[in-house]
Amino acid sequence: MAKEKILVVEDDEDILELMSYNLIKKGYQISATGFGEEAISIVNKENPQLILLDIMLLDMNGLDVCRKIKSNDKTKNIPIVFTTAKGEEEDICKGLELGADDYIVKPFS
C-alpha cells in the first residue's frame, strides 16, 4: 500500500532531487516543483497530505504560496512545513503566522 503523497516545492534542483529521492525511498508518493504557481495547481489537483515548501522559489515567494493555500477552504488544512535557508526569527515568525505548521532551516540532515 502506498504511503501519503507529499508535495516538495524547492527551487534548488539538487536539494529537490535529494529530498524527493529520500522520501520515495521511504515509500511516499512525491510531486515536486520549483515553481509556486505550479505548486498551487498541484495542491488543488492532487490534495497532498503534506507540503514541504521553500520560501525562495523560481517564480514567486513561498510565503505567498502558503498564504494562497491556507486561504482556500479546500486546501487550508494541508500541513505546510517551510524548508528554507531564511532562518532569521522574523522569517520564522512570518511563516508560522501565515499558517505553516513548522519551519526547518537549511542546511538540514
Side-chain angles (χ1 to χ4, degrees):
M1 184 174 159
K3 292 189 180 181
E4 290 84 7
K5 180 170 282 189
I6 298 174
L7 172 59
V8 181
V9 188
E10 168 64 54
D11 68 319
D12 183 307
E13 287 186 33
D14 291 334
I15 296 172
L16 180 66
E17 187 177 316
L18 182 65
M19 289 173 68
S20 297
Y21 171 80
N22 282 295
L23 291 167
I24 290 168
K25 192 172 159 185
K26 294 289 184 185
Y28 293 99
Q29 296 179 43
I30 300 300
S31 292
T33 183
F35 296 92
E37 287 295 339
E38 185 177 6
I40 293 166
S41 177
I42 291 169
V43 168
N44 288 321
K45 288 178 191 166
E46 300 181 8
N47 197 34
Q49 283 70 50
L50 175 66
I51 302 166
L52 301 176
L53 177 61
D54 192 5
I55 288 181
M56 295 173 283
L57 300 174
L58 297 170
D59 61 343
M60 65 188 294
N61 187 305
L63 296 171
D64 294 330
V65 174
C66 180
R67 185 179 293 111
K68 287 183 179 188
I69 291 168
K70 292 298 184 177
S71 67
N72 181 335
D73 284 340
K74 179 184 169 198
T75 60
K76 68 182 180 183
N77 292 321
I78 300 171
I80 296 176
V81 176
F82 277 110
T83 56
T84 182
K86 295 181 68 92
E88 298 296 320
E89 185 174 347
E90 179 181 331
D91 297 318
I92 295 169
C93 289
K94 179 87 170 172
L96 295 174
E97 286 171 5
L98 287 172
D101 295 86
D102 207 348
Y103 197 105
I104 301 171
V105 179
K106 296 178 202 168
F108 51 81
S109 57

